[in-house]
Amino acid sequence: MDQGDNDWWRHGVFYQIYPRSFQDSNADGVGDIRGIIERLPYLKALGINAVWLSPIFPSPMADFGYDISDYTGIDPLFGTMADFDALVSAAHENGLKLILDLVPNHTPDQHPWFIESKSSRDSPKRDWYIWRDGKPDGGPPNDWLSEFGGSGWEYHDATGQYYYHAFLAQQPDLNWRNPDVREAIYEVMRFWLRKGVDGFRVDVIWPLIKDAEFRDNPPNPNYHKGRILTQYSTDRPEVHEIIAEMRRVTEEFGSRVLIGEIHLPLHRLVAYYGNDLAGAHMPFNFALLSTLWRARSIERIIADYEKALPIGAWPNWVLGNHDRPRVASRVGQEQARVAAMLLLTLRGTPTLYYGDEIGKHQVAIAPDQVQDPFEKNVPGIGVDRDGCRTPMQWDATLHAGFSTVTPWLPLADDFVRRNVVNLEADTKSILSPYKALIATRRKLPQLVTGPISRSQRRAISCFIDEMVPQGRPLLH
Ligand code: GLC
């Protein structure tokens, strides 16, 4: 890929690395930046174009890095700033773009901003977070819930107010109505862009700004999907102005990319391209993660998405990530190949999740080995995010070549057979179609850019029908 190519993010294949689990280089059982550098030749040979790293910044790790206590540092667990600079150079030398995770919705409660904010009601940083008085009966200001279970409001004794947290109580939400908060995060973006990173995947971008009046969320008629809707705590109209500002910051540095994590129905999702496409270059499209694995459902999703896309908006597709069960377990090993075929032949930008190319499956985690705070908060309902975050399986040696010591999460039990070395030697393995398809995308740009005609759509649907005669519902 030509580094000067402005459209690189349109015709590239993106690959998400969960750094804790990719490659350990210093024998502590946790992956790190040097480990990623060691594995760049593998990524280059796979044929991908861009690597997105889940957070590597200093963090108390209550949510494994999605709680950043220093936005412009590197957590010693992952290495040093010199290691990071070496990674940027090495990635670029290998023709790979590097995308960072940006987590602007919340900080940990140990961030200096929050420590200052909670110090008094008069603190200059009080308004950097969302503080409200309780109801007259002392209860929380409204009915908003935490994604990770329970109320979204935490009472702070010392100052007698509640603060809002969309996730853990240790992850207070920043107040994006405050211009100083915005500028502080935009400066963080500039810091990394100056270092040469090629863009950001912005974590939970759609709940960034909350209802100005803090209205109660309405009850959810579809109760099993949550007791209340998130009408006033997420997806507010003002969010688009912020995303356009973020886009302008990325554009100060030339051709960089802004990707948004957005979990919304398709017709709402596409609004995140922004007015005149001035929003996110790619609002992540997770439709394939939750559809029934049936030909007709998949066909409908492709058609609905294509129809909903604003003119000129660039499509993208995701099959797996660090929050959802592995595709090989959702649809089965055979169908995982079909899923790869689908992902890599749909027009638009595909994002792979590390290990899906070797058919990594969801690993069952014993209750006493659970690490994920979400699973700990609401155990046993199938959240289970550890199961898709287990170490990469490189070879058949002890600890799968991931580490020389016991890894932070258990390895999949089939790693002796299912590992990169073995699968590379086996032309019938799932890795072969992955490589072949990625290579084919390079050779046949129509695959990447071509509009999908009605007859092609029908052909895709017949193809899937043949491959999925019975249809299989997804597990999650
Ligand atoms: C995003 C991340 C997830 C994290 C959450 C809170 O959804 O993908 O892993 O727990 O944000 O930061």
Side-chain angles (χ1 to χ4, degrees):
M1 186 173 39
D2 170 9
Q3 293 285 337
D5 170 5
N6 283 345
D7 268 353
W8 61 271
W9 53 272
R10 291 180 188 256
H11 44 79
V13 174
F14 284 48
Y15 185 96
Q16 179 189 358
I17 288 181
Y18 195 68
R20 293 183 76 89
S21 293
F22 200 59
Q23 178 66 58
D24 175 16
S25 76
N26 63 345
D28 62 359
V30 176
D32 46 51
I33 295 172
R34 286 273 154 205
I36 297 170
I37 296 175
E38 279 171 29
R39 295 298 183 182
L40 289 176
Y42 166 75
L43 297 174
K44 190 175 179 192
L46 184 59
I48 56 122
N49 312 85
V51 174
W52 149 38
L53 300 184
S54 282
I56 46 170
F57 318 104
S59 164
M61 301 287 169
D63 193 15
F64 294 110
Y66 284 95
D67 44 343
I68 300 172
S69 48
D70 173 3
Y71 280 102
T72 54
I74 298 292
D75 196 291
L77 190 64
F78 297 119
T80 62
M81 193 57 88
D83 294 334
F84 178 77
D85 291 336
L87 173 62
V88 177
S89 306
H92 287 167
E93 276 157 25
N94 279 282
L96 297 169
K97 302 283 187 180
L98 192 70
I99 315 291
L100 290 184
D101 225 305
L102 180 74
V103 186
N105 181 66
H106 45 264
T107 71
D109 56 0
Q110 295 172 36
H111 194 291
W113 296 342
F114 188 72
I115 293 174
E116 169 65 51
S117 182
K118 73 173 185 181
S119 66
S120 109
R121 286 197 188 199
D122 304 324
S123 152
K125 292 230 166 24
R126 186 65 169 180
D127 187 49
W128 279 44
Y129 292 83
I130 300 173
W131 293 96
R132 307 284 293 168
D133 291 332
K135 288 229 165 98
D137 67 359
N142 67 20
D143 67 355
W144 296 359
L145 297 176
S146 154
E147 272 295 307
F148 287 170
S151 168
W153 296 97
E154 183 78 5
Y155 189 67
H156 183 241
D157 272 331
T159 55
Q161 282 190 309
Y162 286 85
Y163 66 85
Y164 178 65
H165 57 92
F167 295 91
L168 298 174
Q170 300 98 302
Q171 292 169 293
D173 279 39
L174 284 163
N175 175 15
W176 274 82
R177 291 188 184 272
N178 183 321
D180 294 340
V181 167
R182 294 187 185 195
E183 209 31 60
I185 296 289
Y186 301 156
E187 270 308 302
V188 168
M189 295 173 74
R190 291 187 185 102
F191 175 87
W192 294 109
L193 290 164
R194 263 183 230 116
K195 282 198 167 283
V197 309
D198 300 288
F200 299 99
R201 170 268 189 190
V202 187
D203 190 62
V204 289
I205 207 169
W206 83 110
L208 218 48
I209 192 158
K210 285 70 174 165
D211 181 43
E213 295 165 43
F214 290 90
R215 281 168 280 190
D216 273 341
N217 277 325
N220 187 354
N222 201 350
Y223 186 87
H224 74 277
K225 290 201 170 147
R227 191 157 55 78
I228 57 171
L229 298 171
T230 53
Q231 183 172 336
Y232 294 113
S233 48
T234 71
D235 194 27
R236 304 306 302 156
E238 300 94 317
V239 75
H240 297 293
E241 177 195 319
I242 296 172
I243 299 173
E245 286 173 4
M246 288 181 167
R247 167 78 171 260
R248 286 199 288 276
V249 173
T250 56
E251 283 178 349
E252 287 167 19
F253 294 80
S255 174
R256 317 284 170 106
V257 72
L258 190 72
I259 304 169
E261 185 206 14
I262 298 143
H263 294 273
L264 285 173
L266 291 177
H267 70 280
R268 293 294 315 147
L269 172 73
V270 293
Y272 284 74
Y273 285 101
N275 278 341
D276 300 327
L277 304 184
H281 293 97
M282 294 197 290
F284 259 152
N285 166 14
F286 299 124
L288 289 175
L289 286 171
S290 47
T291 180
L292 285 181
W293 198 250
R294 292 200 173 105
R296 294 292 159 229
S297 315
I298 296 171
E299 181 195 21
R300 194 165 321 117
I301 272 174
I302 297 170
D304 288 352
Y305 181 60
E306 285 285 344
K307 206 156 96 205
L309 282 174
I311 291 168
W314 186 247
N316 77 90
W317 297 91
V318 178
L319 258 188
N321 63 31
H322 64 292
D323 293 327
R324 302 300 289 270
R326 288 268 176 192
V327 61
S329 296
R330 297 201 314 266
V331 306
Q333 283 296 348
E334 282 310 308
Q335 285 305 309
R337 291 165 185 253
V338 179
M341 175 96 184
L342 183 69
L343 179 73
L344 293 165
T345 53
L346 280 169
R347 98 184 170 102
T349 300
T351 299
L352 316 185
Y353 182 47
Y354 85 96
D356 281 351
E357 74 279 15
I358 57 165
K360 247 174 94 50
H361 64 74
Q362 189 74 3
V363 175
I365 307 291
D368 62 344
Q369 287 185 311
V370 169
Q371 305 271 352
D372 175 19
F374 193 2
E375 174 70 27
K376 284 185 181 166
N377 269 11
V378 285
I381 62 162
V383 170
D384 195 17
R385 299 189 303 176
D386 291 329
C388 64
R389 298 175 177 180
T390 62
M392 182 66 175
Q393 295 142 224
W394 295 105
D395 57 42
T397 61
L398 187 67
H399 311 309
F402 164 72
S403 178
T404 50
V405 301
T406 306
W408 74 290
L409 278 175
L411 282 156
D413 52 8
D414 63 350
F415 82 85
V416 172
R417 193 171 43 84
R418 185 176 296 285
N419 60 60
V420 169
V421 168
N422 275 359
L423 270 54
E424 275 181 338
D426 174 4
T427 51
K428 293 207 171 69
S429 76
I430 185 169
L431 189 53
S432 293
Y434 260 104
K435 283 191 172 171
L437 285 161
I438 294 172
T440 308
R441 287 174 70 87
R442 284 182 191 263
K443 283 194 221 113
L444 273 183
Q446 304 90 304
L447 267 187
V448 178
T449 57
I452 299 186
S453 68
R454 200 179 279 261
S455 62
Q456 278 168 316
R457 210 178 291 144
R458 224 169 317 158
I460 293 174
S461 152
C462 292
F463 168 76
I464 300 172
D465 256 347
E466 261 171 48
M467 304 294 287
V468 199
Q470 317 301 326
R472 269 179 71 130
L474 293 178
L475 296 181
H476 188 78

